[in-house]
């Protein structure tokens, strides 16, 4: 009944509010943020930032797995900066995962550089592929964080990154180097960080977070293009994810499609309830839907998976 009511209200242009309800519980126990969700061989994985540190000073990454996106199992630490990196020791933020060449490529922020590690399994362990950053701080006019990698149907991979401005480039076939000649930048109104790309029915949706992650107004907006390189036109019905009532700071998301279905879920963080803030965030999942014209409908943060 809740799902039917949600659909009826959103299709009529109204915002469904389940204000009398308690906010859904987070899907991961403890403080985790910037979740990247992926599905491999019918199993779902979340790669988050380990949160709860003043100044976001975590130095390792974990991965969690699930068969139904409801019960999640911790698979362990997959990259530990103190043991696995020689060029960065802290600020392990906002990872991403991609599969190509029969390998799993793990992209991550490390002390405001972007690195890449490789494994034969989605649960790692991952090995630093370069012994240095893939993208170095100061290399472009943005803070070098928040990588996201999208592999298109033709096998071409693209990387999206940057705080303050979004950079887009083609990855070379080895997945550990960038085609520098391809790089473009994009800064829609309101863009801050956390870019993420999906493809649906031939259209490319670039999504991003607006405001600062410490701001209760932190939220997600999007633009659409016919190309993964853009240009992207910002949609009118933004933001599509934001908090209200006791849910605050809902943003820095990723999106997953259920294999074989036009069924989508958005995974994001919010301030821990109660008494959370921009350093103490928790991971949640909500359904994400489209209207008949392909616009993303507003996500209701009180509706859970």
């Amino acid at each position: 009944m809740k799902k039917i009511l949600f659909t009826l209200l959103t299709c009529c242009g109204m915002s469904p509010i389940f204000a009398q309800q308690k906010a859904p519980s987070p899907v991961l126990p403890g403080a985790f943020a910037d979740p990247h969700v992926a599905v491999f061989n019918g199993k779902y994985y979340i790669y988050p930032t380990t949160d709860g540190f003043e100044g976001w000073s975590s130095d390792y990454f974990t991965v969690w797995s699930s068969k139904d996106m409801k019960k999640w199992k911790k698979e362990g630490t997959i990259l530990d900066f103190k043991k696995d990196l020689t060029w960065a020791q802290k600020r392990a933020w906002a990872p991403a995962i991609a599969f190509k060449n029969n390998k799993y490529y793990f992209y991550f922020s490390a002390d405001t550089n972007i690195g890449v590690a490789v494994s034969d399994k989605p649960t790692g362990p991952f090995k630093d592929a370069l012994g240095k950053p893939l993208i170095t701080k100061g290399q472009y006019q943005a803070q070098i964080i928040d990588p996201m990698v999208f592999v298109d149907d033709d096998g071409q991979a693209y990387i999206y990154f940057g705080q303050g401005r979004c950079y887009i480039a083609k990855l070379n076939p080895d997945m550990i180097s960038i085609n520098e000649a391809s790089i473009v930048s994009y800064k829609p109104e309101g863009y801050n960080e956390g870019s993420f790309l999906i493809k649906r029915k031939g259209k490319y949706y670039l999504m991003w977070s607006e405001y600062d992650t410490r701001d209760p107004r932190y939220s997600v907006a999007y633009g659409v293009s016919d190309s993964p390189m853009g240009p992207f036109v910002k949609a009118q019905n933004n933001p599509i994810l934001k908090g209200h009532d006791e849910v605050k700071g809902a943003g820095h998301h990723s999106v997953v499609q259920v294999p074989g279905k036009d069924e989508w879920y958005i995974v994001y963080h919010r301030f821990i309830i109660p008494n959370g803030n921009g350093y103490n965030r928790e991971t949640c999942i909500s359904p994400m839907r489209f209207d008949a014209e392909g616009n993303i409908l507003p996500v209701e943060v009180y509706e859970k998976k």
Side-chain angles (χ1 to χ4, degrees):
M1 180 60 71
K2 184 194 300 180
K3 184 175 180 179
I4 294 172
L5 176 62
F6 179 88
T7 303
L8 287 173
L9 288 172
T10 51
C11 287
C12 293
M14 300 171 64
S15 178
I17 302 296
F18 305 120
Q20 302 304 312
Q21 292 192 352
K22 181 178 175 62
S25 299
V27 295
L28 303 183
F32 294 96
D34 313 328
H36 182 109
V37 64
V39 56
F40 300 119
N41 300 316
K43 196 170 186 177
Y44 299 91
Y45 299 88
I46 290 178
Y47 302 81
T49 296
T50 307
D51 211 22
F53 301 92
E54 189 76 16
W56 310 292
S57 58
S58 172
D59 57 11
Y60 67 95
F61 290 106
T62 61
V63 64
W64 302 70
S65 68
S66 175
K67 295 180 180 179
D68 59 7
M69 282 192 283
K70 294 181 179 180
K71 296 180 179 179
W72 293 87
K73 174 187 175 184
K74 185 177 181 180
E75 296 285 357
T77 298
I78 57 172
L79 191 71
D80 185 327
F81 284 11
K82 292 179 179 178
K83 295 190 298 183
D84 302 326
L85 291 189
T86 59
W87 50 270
Q89 294 296 298
K90 60 182 180 179
R91 293 193 278 186
W93 303 342
I97 192 79
F99 179 74
K100 191 178 175 182
N101 307 328
N102 291 316
K103 292 186 180 296
Y104 296 88
Y105 295 88
F106 184 69
Y107 302 85
F108 56 93
S109 305
D111 201 14
T112 63
N113 304 271
I114 289 173
V116 56
V118 186
S119 177
D120 293 325
K121 300 185 297 181
T123 53
F126 285 83
K127 182 179 180 180
D128 183 16
L130 298 172
K132 62 181 182 178
L134 171 64
I135 308 170
T136 305
K137 67 176 72 175
Q139 192 171 346
Y140 301 102
Q141 293 180 345
Q143 185 170 216
I144 306 301
I145 61 172
D146 298 357
M148 187 273 165
V149 171
F150 171 78
V151 181
D152 209 347
D153 299 330
D154 62 2
Q156 177 62 59
Y158 302 83
I159 187 166
Y160 304 77
F161 64 93
Q163 183 195 45
R165 176 171 291 275
C166 179
Y167 284 86
I168 308 169
K170 293 181 180 180
L171 284 168
N172 292 322
D174 62 10
M175 296 292 283
I176 58 172
S177 62
I178 290 175
N179 179 343
E180 298 287 349
S182 71
I183 196 160
V184 298
S185 67
Y186 172 63
K187 186 175 181 178
E189 182 181 357
Y191 176 90
N192 183 33
E193 61 189 9
S195 54
F196 195 89
L197 191 94
I198 62 170
K199 184 179 183 180
R200 179 181 183 267
K201 297 186 177 181
K203 296 288 186 181
Y204 298 87
Y205 296 74
L206 182 66
M207 310 168 76
W208 59 85
S209 291
E210 301 190 336
Y211 297 102
D212 184 270
T213 191
R214 293 163 289 191
D215 191 323
R217 297 172 296 172
Y218 199 53
S219 51
V220 171
Y222 77 100
V224 183
S225 177
D226 292 324
S227 166
M229 296 290 292
F232 293 89
V233 177
K234 188 173 182 181
Q236 296 297 312
N237 61 322
N238 275 309
I240 54 91
L241 176 74
K242 64 178 181 178
H244 61 81
D245 298 329
E246 68 175 344
V247 174
K248 295 177 172 55
H252 204 125
H253 75 300
S254 57
V255 175
V256 68
Q257 179 182 9
V258 175
K261 298 182 179 181
D262 189 24
E263 183 178 346
W264 301 77
Y265 293 89
I266 186 166
V267 185
Y268 56 95
H269 70 236
R270 69 187 185 201
F271 290 4
I272 285 177
I273 299 174
N275 304 321
N277 55 34
Y279 301 113
N280 293 277
R281 300 161 294 179
E282 57 192 5
T283 294
C284 302
I285 301 178
S286 294
M288 191 182 84
R289 302 181 178 90
F290 299 81
D291 67 15
E293 287 72 45
N295 301 303
I296 301 175
L297 293 169
V299 174
E300 177 49 63
V301 293
Y302 284 78
E303 184 186 19
K304 64 180 180 179
K305 167 71 175 77

